[in-house]
């Protein structure tokens, strides 16, 4: 039975609403809903304006056709304002309406879509007061929250597991690298620095300078001429010393006679004592030049 959408009383309202799918946030639409009284969760008639997207209501003229009654509603709105501001005018061919900017509030659910009031057009000098109206999440926020929830649930199934495995493998690799460098450092500290210096020396370069310092302690004697010294890093180092036994040596002391050649010449031998060629504790060694000294 066709219903007349003409003005019945001053309480009728026409609501401009944006709707978002409750399960699918991409299911969008915009609608014009008619109420014979105060807007609530059950509109008397609904005319769809857009599908797949929300209508940009501000600064536009919107026409909605109610197929059940054959009535067309036309709204001419100005730029977007704050909640409660004057927004424009409307008409259904039977009377004029004043349209008001509203706080986006969930008003009704239809065809699995949650519809939020955006504008209210009425015959009053102020926007209508919705019964128990509590500002709710806007349609765009609902879509964002639904998308985030879907992404989070999907992430928790697959990506979180992969992320956990990746973190564990990365930690093991880093621990292995750190252990390798610590092992190399420990091994280098156990090597004998003196051995490395000896290996670097060569006949051309000569022996490196021996560092001066106090006599080593904790020496372990290993017989005449050698001792083992324990260095602070517990690495043995061997020093060699010459023996200190007294061993005097004499030069061959037999008297040697010699003759001059027969060439006419005159040669005189000096009669001075020759200095000893080998001294032992600053005293002439007996028999350094034999028992005969001086001219023969």
């Amino acid at each position: 039975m066709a219903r007349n959408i003409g003005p019945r009383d001053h309480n009728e309202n026409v609501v401009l609403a944006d709707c978002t799918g409750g399960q699918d946030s991409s299911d969008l639409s915009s609608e014009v809903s008619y109420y014979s009284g105060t807007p609530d969760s059950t509109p008397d008639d609904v005319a769809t304006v857009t599908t797949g997207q929300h209508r940009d209501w501000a600064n536009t003229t919107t026409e909605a056709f109610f197929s059940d009654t054959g009535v067309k509603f036309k709204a001419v709105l100005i730029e977007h304002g704050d909640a409660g501001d004057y927004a424009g005018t409307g008409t259904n061919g039977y009377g004029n309406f004043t349209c008001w900017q509203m706080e986006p509030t969930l008003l009704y659910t239809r065809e699995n879509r949650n519809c939020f009031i955006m504008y209210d057009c009425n015959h009053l000098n102020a926007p209508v007061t919705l019964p128990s109206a509590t500002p709710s999440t806007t349609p765009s926020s609902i879509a964002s929250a639904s998308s985030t929830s879907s992404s989070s649930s999907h992430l928790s199934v697959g990506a979180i597991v992969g992320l956990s495995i990746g973190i564990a493998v990365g930690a093991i690799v880093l621990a292995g690298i750190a252990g390798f460098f610590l092992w190399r450092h420990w091994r280098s500290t156990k090597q004998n620095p003196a051995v490395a210096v000896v290996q670097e020396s060569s006949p051309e370069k000569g022996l490196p300078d021996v560092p001066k310092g106090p006599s080593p302690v904790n020496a372990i004697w290993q017989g005449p001429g050698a001792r083992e010294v324990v260095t602070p890093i517990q690495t043995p180092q061997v020093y060699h010393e010459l023996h200190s036994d007294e061993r005097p040596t004499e030069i061959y002391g037999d008297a040697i006679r010699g003759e001059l050649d027969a060439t006419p010449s005159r040669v005189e031998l000096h009669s001075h004592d020759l200095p000893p060629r080998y001294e032992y504790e600053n005293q002439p060694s007996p028999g350094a030049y034999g028992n005969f000294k001086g001219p023969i």
Side-chain angles (χ1 to χ4, degrees):
M1 178 179 179
R3 294 176 296 175
N4 187 4
I5 199 172
R8 297 179 176 86
D9 53 42
H10 291 288
N11 292 326
E12 67 177 352
N13 291 266
V14 177
V15 170
L16 281 60
D18 286 339
C19 303
T20 302
Q23 300 297 327
D24 184 3
S25 60
S26 64
D27 183 13
L28 306 177
S29 67
S30 292
E31 302 175 349
V32 175
S33 303
Y34 173 78
Y35 292 88
S36 58
T38 302
D40 56 18
S41 60
T42 307
D44 295 328
D45 204 351
V46 175
T48 301
V49 178
T50 62
T51 56
Q53 62 181 1
H54 288 153
R55 172 72 172 173
D56 187 5
W57 303 100
N59 282 331
T60 59
T61 297
T62 301
E63 293 183 355
F65 180 74
F66 295 92
S67 58
D68 288 348
T69 59
V71 175
K72 181 185 293 185
F73 181 83
K74 181 179 181 180
V76 180
L77 303 180
I78 62 175
E79 63 184 9
H80 185 81
D82 296 329
D85 290 349
Y86 171 80
T89 60
T91 182
N92 63 353
Y94 298 94
N96 295 325
F97 292 77
T98 302
C99 298
W100 308 91
Q101 183 84 48
M102 300 294 290
E103 181 74 23
T105 303
L106 178 61
L107 187 59
Y108 62 90
T109 299
R110 191 178 76 89
E111 296 179 354
N112 294 324
R113 299 189 187 98
N114 297 320
C115 297
F116 298 80
I117 183 172
M118 307 302 291
Y119 294 89
D120 174 55
C121 300
N122 56 34
H123 301 291
L124 305 177
N125 294 325
V128 69
T129 300
L130 300 178
S132 303
T134 301
S136 182
T137 308
T138 62
S140 59
S141 300
I142 289 287
S144 176
S146 176
S147 177
T148 303
S149 176
S150 177
S151 299
S152 299
S153 62
H154 179 70
L155 182 64
S156 63
V157 174
I160 291 180
V161 174
L163 184 61
S164 301
I165 296 175
I167 292 175
V169 172
I172 293 174
V173 171
L174 290 177
I177 294 174
F180 173 74
F181 282 106
L182 290 176
W183 174 79
R184 288 190 60 184
H185 176 72
W186 173 82
R187 183 180 180 184
S188 63
T189 56
K190 300 299 282 184
Q191 291 180 349
N192 186 2
V195 173
V197 171
V198 171
Q199 292 176 350
E200 292 177 358
S201 62
S202 63
E204 293 78 6
K205 297 180 180 179
L207 293 176
D209 294 336
V210 178
K212 298 180 180 180
S215 300
V217 296
N218 299 328
I220 303 175
W221 292 91
Q222 298 180 343
R227 58 177 177 174
E228 180 178 350
V229 180
V230 180
T231 61
I233 59 173
Q234 302 299 324
T235 302
Q237 185 173 356
V238 179
Y239 288 86
H240 295 276
E241 296 182 358
L242 295 176
H243 58 77
S244 59
D245 297 338
E246 295 183 359
R247 295 181 181 180
T249 304
E250 294 184 0
I251 298 176
Y252 181 75
D254 294 339
I256 299 176
R257 297 178 181 274
E259 295 183 0
L260 298 177
D261 55 31
T263 304
S265 61
R266 183 174 180 175
V267 178
E268 293 183 359
L269 299 176
H270 62 77
S271 59
H272 301 289
D273 289 338
L274 296 175
R277 297 183 61 186
Y278 182 84
E279 294 183 359
Y280 181 78
E281 294 184 357
N282 297 327
Q283 296 295 327
S285 176
Y289 286 93
N291 295 325
F292 300 96
K293 298 179 182 179
I296 299 176

